[in-house]
Amino acid sequence: MEKRTELEKLGEFGLIKKIKNGVKIYNDSTYCGIGDDAAVINSGELQTIVSSDMLLEGVHFDLSYTPLKHLGYKAVAVNVSDIAAMNAIPEQITVNIGLSNRFSQEAVEEIYEGINIACKNYKVDLIGGDTTSSRSGLVISITAIGKARKEEITYRNTAKKGDIICATGDLGAAYLGLQILEREKQEFLANPEMQPDLEKNEYLVMRQLKPEARMDVIYDFRELKLKPTSMIDISDGLASELLHLTKGAVLGAVIYEDKLPIEQNTARVATEEFNLPLATCMLNGGEDYELLFTVDQGDYEKIKNHPDISFIGYMQEADKGVKMVTRAEQLIDVTAQGFKHF
Ligand code: ADP
Ligand code: MG
């Protein structure tokens, strides 16, 4: 009988590892292939950074509450975020789109309105793509291309023991935004007369529907002459991304629950409306598209007053594990419960 392994057993990261093991590199210009937020191509003085992300209807978004304009914006932002995570500057994107006949010209124009606004905000040029029909809902796949000098590029596996772990912005809001949207959808299905009340939770809902890539922080790094020792963007949740940084560098880490950044509405909604532990939302929520990075202790002075960077812990020896000191001063293991694709 032919061998059959369920994807569920392998998991997304296991599958990517399998693909990577089967890939042979034929060109010297391929400097960094599968395994980081983006690939790095040697192209003279400036290196080229390439990253792709695909958004699927029913998996990544639900059109019953996702405005097409926001969806177009988000599809660009999540790709720009991967270029940011390499400490590079995005310059071009290509857009592949799969459409069913359910979509009108106007609907497609709305998606591209969002894409064009994102292009303007992030100063990237839409240079091509592909259009096909789809029988299983809307598909948007974007590739972003960026540039950086070789010595500027940051990877996932280059942190050192003692480095300070930093996070931008606040965490958990996008996850709670999704919980709110799902709740309002269920309430609407049960009672279509009801108008959803999303206004008071606008911040959380917008964090889910229209996230921003933190290019502002990348420009700040350049001004401050700071290069993180490692970096990744927070798409699957802080815990999962921290494990990528520690595994890559063969290190452990300790983070402190009371240092994790949460915005006050996020904290209120998590506690009062969903009865969810705040730490779970911040560690495992995902889709915040903030940056998680490490800096040398000697560079702390450069960013200690940055209003949008939190210092959440430090890297330690691998055998000490990846831990969190809770508010109750307990030491617990950090484990990934990020988004499961299979
Ligand atoms: P991110 O969450 O930053 O988008 P992923 O977990 O999607 O990163 O991808 C990790 C790495 O695996 C990246 O280098 C990506 O290009 C690569 N990768 C993901 N899927 C595939 C695939 N189907 N074929 C080849 N490489 C892939
Ligand atoms: Mg990434």
Side-chain angles (χ1 to χ4, degrees):
M1 225 176 73
E2 243 180 77
K3 189 175 165 217
R4 180 186 160 91
T5 311
E6 298 304 327
L7 288 177
E8 193 183 2
K9 201 169 148 218
L10 199 58
E12 184 193 354
F13 299 141
L15 178 64
I16 293 174
K17 204 165 159 197
K18 275 254 172 261
I19 294 172
K20 180 177 169 144
N21 289 342
V23 166
K24 197 171 162 4
I25 300 293
Y26 299 101
N27 297 289
D28 290 342
S29 54
T30 305
Y31 184 74
C32 166
I34 297 172
D36 216 300
D37 288 291
V40 178
I41 301 167
N42 258 326
S43 49
E45 201 178 324
L46 288 173
Q47 297 199 306
T48 304
I49 323 293
V50 184
S51 168
S52 262
D53 253 310
M54 177 156 58
L55 298 182
L56 292 186
E57 181 178 350
V59 179
H60 299 96
F61 58 88
D62 181 331
L63 283 181
S64 63
Y65 54 71
T66 306
L68 290 173
K69 196 164 135 183
H70 291 344
L71 182 63
Y73 192 97
K74 179 170 180 172
V76 178
V78 302
N79 277 280
V80 168
S81 180
D82 275 324
I83 302 289
M86 304 300 288
N87 200 27
I89 310 292
E91 294 190 343
Q92 289 87 16
I93 57 164
T94 60
V95 178
N96 299 331
I97 193 158
L99 297 160
S100 66
N101 52 16
R102 196 154 54 90
F103 288 89
S104 62
Q105 178 191 330
E106 289 74 16
V108 177
E109 280 170 358
E110 258 184 69
I111 297 174
Y112 273 83
E113 211 186 310
I115 290 176
N116 287 327
I117 294 172
C119 284
K120 181 168 183 231
N121 284 359
Y122 298 116
K123 296 193 195 65
V124 297
D125 305 322
L126 173 52
I127 56 163
D130 195 22
T131 307
T132 67
S133 63
S134 161
R135 290 194 196 156
S136 54
L138 177 62
V139 183
I140 306 180
S141 172
I142 294 190
T143 298
I145 303 161
K147 282 226 170 102
R149 284 187 287 120
K150 187 173 180 179
E151 60 278 14
E152 282 168 338
I153 300 174
T154 54
Y155 295 91
R156 289 180 177 180
N157 59 358
T158 39
K160 311 180 308 305
K161 189 185 126 189
D163 285 354
I164 302 168
I165 303 168
C166 313
T168 62
D170 59 80
L171 300 174
Y175 174 72
L176 281 153
L178 180 62
Q179 302 313 308
I180 290 166
L181 288 163
E182 287 286 343
R183 180 184 67 192
E184 299 296 320
K185 178 184 176 182
Q186 294 314 323
E187 280 176 18
F188 179 78
L189 290 176
N191 178 10
E193 312 281 86
M194 234 202 57
Q195 280 300 311
D197 174 22
L198 295 174
E199 247 166 57
K200 73 173 191 316
N201 290 318
E202 197 191 349
Y203 178 70
L204 306 190
V205 167
M206 287 308 277
R207 289 282 282 173
Q208 168 60 221
L209 294 178
K210 189 174 166 287
E212 294 288 356
R214 294 310 304 260
M215 281 311 299
D216 57 326
V217 175
I218 302 306
Y219 292 116
D220 289 346
F221 287 161
R222 281 162 199 238
E223 251 173 55
L224 295 164
K225 300 208 177 347
L226 174 94
K227 184 190 170 187
T229 52
S230 69
M231 185 150 62
I232 187 167
D233 70 329
I234 305 180
S235 51
D236 289 342
L238 175 65
S240 171
E241 315 305 357
L242 181 61
L243 290 167
H244 278 305
L245 296 188
T246 51
K247 227 181 263 168
V250 198
L251 286 173
V254 59
I255 58 173
Y256 297 86
E257 184 181 2
D258 65 351
K259 305 275 186 215
L260 301 184
I262 195 159
E263 184 268 347
Q264 57 183 21
N265 284 296
T266 315
R268 179 184 53 77
V269 169
T271 317
E272 292 173 15
E273 297 187 27
F274 290 96
N275 198 18
L276 284 166
L278 298 187
T280 308
C281 299
M282 290 185 281
L283 285 169
N284 299 311
E287 289 207 279
D288 289 310
Y289 295 100
E290 297 293 342
L291 294 169
L292 177 70
F293 60 97
T294 54
V295 296
D296 189 276
Q297 289 187 14
D299 281 332
Y300 174 66
E301 282 293 314
K302 294 184 189 168
I303 47 169
K304 69 171 187 202
N305 293 322
H306 195 292
D308 222 13
I309 294 176
S310 299
F311 306 96
I312 64 172
Y314 58 89
M315 301 301 258
Q316 60 182 4
E317 291 91 345
D319 56 12
K320 291 190 175 161
V322 182
K323 306 280 182 184
M324 181 169 82
V325 179
T326 67
R327 285 178 190 276
E329 302 210 347
Q330 277 182 311
L331 199 61
I332 61 166
D333 281 321
V334 173
T335 53
Q337 286 156 359
F339 187 77
K340 281 227 164 29
H341 283 285
F342 307 116

